[in-house]
Amino acid sequence: MSSLSRNAQVLRYLLEVAPGIGHTKLAKYAYLADLEARKYLGRPISSFRYCFDRHGPFVARGFFVAKDELVDGCYITESQVPLGPYVGFEMYPTERSVEYDFGLPDVQLLKYITDTYLSKNVRDLCDEVVYKTEPMLHARQGSALPMSRVNRKPGSRHEFDLERMLAGEASAQAGRVRPVADVLNELRARHN
């Protein structure tokens, strides 16, 4: 069991996969990861509570508590960088190892978010992706985002089980499968 809170683990993992990003991008990645987890797992990865801030979804206190936990525990470094008239931040994971409490689906969703959106700058990430998500489209500024609107509905005829699919993929990679050709040949032999 990790000594880090679940929220700090989410931020640290995202920084391992996308080192050097700042506060805004990191917060938006956490939001998108929770959104995708709700769609495919029926639950968020973190326990962040998102509200509609003037710059989109954000977790003012919770985000900085988790980020400070990482800085204070020497799990990440944070440095200020000039961004024109503003000051930004870059965060990097340190060599200190983390024991994550994530399951395979959580890891895959976190990695998917960074792989998919790393090339976008913050403005495009917000304008083209984050602000167009269902919770953002159904929220009022200053209010909590209706995240449960995207929760997977158990029993839907058209759903797939991400956890089961990933377990099957891991099983196949471990060699616990039969080639499709063998299965088809066996079926043909039974019916001839």
Side-chain angles (χ1 to χ4, degrees), residues 115-181:
D115 288 349
T116 303
Y117 301 115
L118 187 60
S119 65
K120 290 195 176 292
N121 64 40
V122 173
R123 175 162 296 201
D124 290 344
L125 177 67
C126 291
D127 291 344
E128 297 172 11
V129 181
V130 172
Y131 297 159
K132 293 180 180 181
T133 60
E134 189 170 349
M136 283 297 295
L137 296 174
H138 294 93
R140 292 185 332 266
Q141 190 167 347
S143 65
L145 291 179
M147 298 294 285
S148 63
R149 291 182 69 100
V150 298
N151 282 5
R152 182 179 92 185
K153 312 295 186 274
S156 170
R157 289 183 335 136
H158 302 294
E159 76 176 26
F160 73 94
D161 186 328
L162 179 62
E163 290 172 289
R164 188 170 177 203
M165 183 189 79
L166 290 170
E169 187 176 89
S171 182
Q173 289 174 346
R176 295 184 301 265
V177 297
R178 293 178 53 202
V180 173

Side-chain angles (χ1 to χ4, degrees), residues 28-50:
K28 300 315 183 221
Y29 281 178
Y31 166 77
L32 291 169
D34 280 340
L35 190 71
E36 291 300 310
R38 285 176 174 277
K39 288 179 188 176
Y40 294 105
L41 304 175
R43 60 165 175 77
I45 296 174
S46 78
S47 62
F48 288 135
R49 302 280 184 240
Y50 299 95

